[in-house]
Amino acid sequence: MWTGNAPEGPYEALGVFGAAFHAIRARAAEERSEGQLVDAAISGMIASLDPYSGYVTATELQAFDEEDTGSYAGIGVTVEAGGRIRSALPGAPAARAGLRAGTIIERIDGLPIHAIDRTRIVDLLRGEPGTAVRVQVRPPEGHLATEIVLTREWLPLHPVRTRMLGTVGYVGLDHFDDFATGRLLAAVADLKALIGPEAISGLILDLRGNPGGLVVQAVAVAGAFLGRGEIVRLVGRGPRDVERFAREPGGRDLVDGLPLVVLVDGDTASAAEIVAAALQDHRRATLVGTRTYGKGAVQTTYLHRDGRGLRLTTAWVVTPAGRKVQGRGIEPDLVVARGGDATMRDDDAVPASHPEQDATSLQNGITEDLRIDPAGDAQLAAALRHLETVLERRAGRTGSRPPGFDLPQGTRAPDGRE
């Protein structure tokens, strides 16, 4: 198969690869091009490493870049297979036209949806800002389809969602892109101004469904609530290959020590787990919800001149308290199912606007989401009850009455992390 001299050193095994490549190219019944064989070989090699490393195409790399840069031009909908709208961004062109979750898109610019590949659907709905797209839609409860023309706008891919819940501020982060920290700071400042700097009594940071994103943004978000201390350790191949991220002493807490709750669930992953774990380890926040996903892997992208690239896991996440996240996740302090009752974790470490906004506000990356409702969200309701308990406890120490805020009727507030 191969009669040349084998190279010495770590690349000696490439001689075996070359022999196999030659045999397949010359004799295999199923013919493949040289490029296809090399792609398959690289993909198989990377797949043997871990679940998150991968060989990616130029199109996939472009999608990763879009996730990180956090903006696009479109109408503001997420579409499932079959044309069903899964979600509509409040204030975006689609929402302003009345499109909402459950609406069925039947045609795009005259093309029937069943004849369009799902990735092609996204391409057709997006485009240059100011251009128009014609869609035929049918409401969830109706049978008559109507045709509307929507104009594409620059939109945040991952807007920060806010809501005033009495004197408690709510901020939802759906991804850690380039703008996550800046939008968080602006959103909290807006909530303070709306509620009143002296009246705001606590903050809820919602990381449910957040798949992660940029590590540097996760570090910055966690650091915004910590005056000092380590945030995360990234541990590579060897014992000396450790990178530590910490906030230097003297930093200021974004909400000046107000009670903080972080909502998490099984879809909270990666960079979002870095934030949740750091705030939990420093006892700065109470985690409410269910165990997180457990993706403690950090990927580095290596680009090839032809536009393709490798996404390799180059480090594993370790929390400030030395916990490994990969495959384990983060257990919340207050375990609450989406529709269930609250039960405390048995752990000694636990101490006793309107959606019709204009495009300008959306381009700032912040949107008020009036769908946020504790009456239909057991985890959010538990977070509010916990904050009420913390405020009452603090008021008992100071002799003053805590500020009131609206709460849904429910069971007694459980104890939790302060």
Side-chain angles (χ1 to χ4, degrees):
M1 292 176 63
W2 182 75
T3 58
N5 295 324
E8 297 180 357
Y11 297 99
E12 182 177 351
L14 288 179
V16 179
F17 172 80
F21 179 84
H22 174 74
I24 294 171
R25 183 171 176 270
R27 303 297 301 275
E30 294 293 333
E31 185 176 358
R32 297 289 184 270
S33 69
E34 289 88 345
Q36 288 176 315
L37 293 177
V38 170
D39 283 348
I42 295 174
S43 296
M45 179 170 57
I46 297 174
S48 71
L49 299 175
D50 61 79
Y52 309 115
S53 295
Y55 184 48
V56 291
T57 65
T59 301
E60 290 169 328
L61 284 171
Q62 182 179 352
F64 288 136
D65 287 341
E66 188 176 75
E67 284 286 324
D68 291 342
T69 54
S71 63
Y72 72 102
I75 62 173
V77 292
T78 302
V79 182
E80 298 175 340
R84 182 181 181 275
I85 294 177
R86 186 175 65 195
S87 63
L89 176 63
R96 296 201 303 268
L99 276 61
R100 62 188 191 277
T103 299
I104 304 296
I105 297 178
E106 297 184 339
R107 291 178 178 269
I108 303 175
D109 286 334
L111 297 174
I113 199 75
H114 60 78
I116 308 172
D117 181 78
R118 184 177 177 183
T119 57
R120 179 62 177 156
I121 292 174
V122 174
D123 292 338
L124 289 173
L125 293 177
R126 297 185 182 184
E128 291 297 317
T131 60
V133 59
R134 182 165 42 93
V135 294
Q136 180 177 300
V137 296
R138 176 166 47 84
E141 67 284 354
H143 301 286
L144 295 178
T146 59
E147 188 172 88
I148 58 177
V149 177
L150 301 171
T151 301
R152 300 179 180 96
E153 299 173 358
W154 276 115
L155 299 169
L157 190 59
H158 309 289
V160 171
R161 298 171 294 108
T162 66
R163 182 78 197 270
M164 285 192 307
L165 300 172
T167 59
V168 172
Y170 168 97
V171 177
L173 287 182
D174 297 331
H175 195 85
F176 286 92
D177 60 28
D178 279 329
F179 300 97
T181 304
R183 288 171 179 168
L184 171 71
L185 298 178
V188 172
D190 289 347
L191 287 168
K192 284 182 176 179
L194 288 170
I195 298 172
E198 303 301 322
I200 187 169
S201 58
L203 184 73
I204 296 172
L205 178 63
D206 192 348
L207 299 182
R208 292 176 297 180
N210 188 318
L214 299 174
V215 171
V216 66
Q217 288 292 322
V219 169
V221 167
F225 298 103
L226 297 173
R228 59 178 296 173
E230 185 176 271
I231 296 171
V232 68
R233 272 171 266 165
L234 304 182
V235 180
R237 176 179 294 182
R240 295 185 179 180
D241 188 11
V242 178
E243 189 174 9
R244 287 181 168 85
F245 292 86
R247 185 164 189 187
E248 297 296 328
R252 183 179 176 184
D253 183 344
L254 180 60
V255 289
D256 301 317
L258 288 175
L260 175 65
V261 170
V262 179
L263 294 175
V264 296
D265 64 8
D267 293 319
T268 302
S270 194
E273 291 175 289
I274 290 176
V275 174
L279 296 176
Q280 186 184 57
D281 282 357
H282 285 282
R283 300 190 179 188
R284 177 58 189 92
T286 300
L287 269 56
V288 175
T290 55
R291 183 184 291 273
T292 63
Y293 183 83
K295 181 181 181 289
V298 177
Q299 277 81 49
T300 301
T301 301
Y302 298 90
L303 301 178
H304 191 270
R305 60 179 175 269
D306 68 359
R308 291 174 290 183
L310 308 179
R311 282 176 65 87
L312 295 182
T313 297
T314 53
W316 302 101
V317 171
V318 177
T319 77
R323 296 182 290 167
K324 294 181 179 179
V325 174
Q326 176 60 29
R328 303 176 184 178
I330 305 299
E331 182 75 7
D333 304 304
L334 190 58
V335 178
V336 185
R338 276 283 186 175
D341 296 327
T343 57
M344 282 304 298
R345 184 178 66 173
D346 184 15
D347 188 340
D348 293 336
V350 182
S353 108
H354 194 275
E356 302 281 337
Q357 295 184 4
D358 58 28
T360 302
S361 65
L362 277 176
Q363 289 177 24
N364 290 335
I366 302 171
T367 181
E368 182 185 12
D369 191 348
L370 297 184
R371 296 171 299 178
I372 304 303
D373 183 7
D377 186 335
Q379 293 168 341
L380 180 57
L384 285 168
R385 291 196 297 270
H386 169 73
L387 288 174
E388 183 180 39
T389 299
V390 172
L391 291 170
E392 289 175 349
R393 188 182 302 152
R394 291 187 176 185
R397 291 198 295 262
T398 61
S400 61
R401 293 180 60 82
F405 52 87
D406 297 330
L407 287 173
Q409 296 297 316
T411 60
R412 180 181 63 83
D415 292 333
R417 184 183 300 269
E418 178 177 346

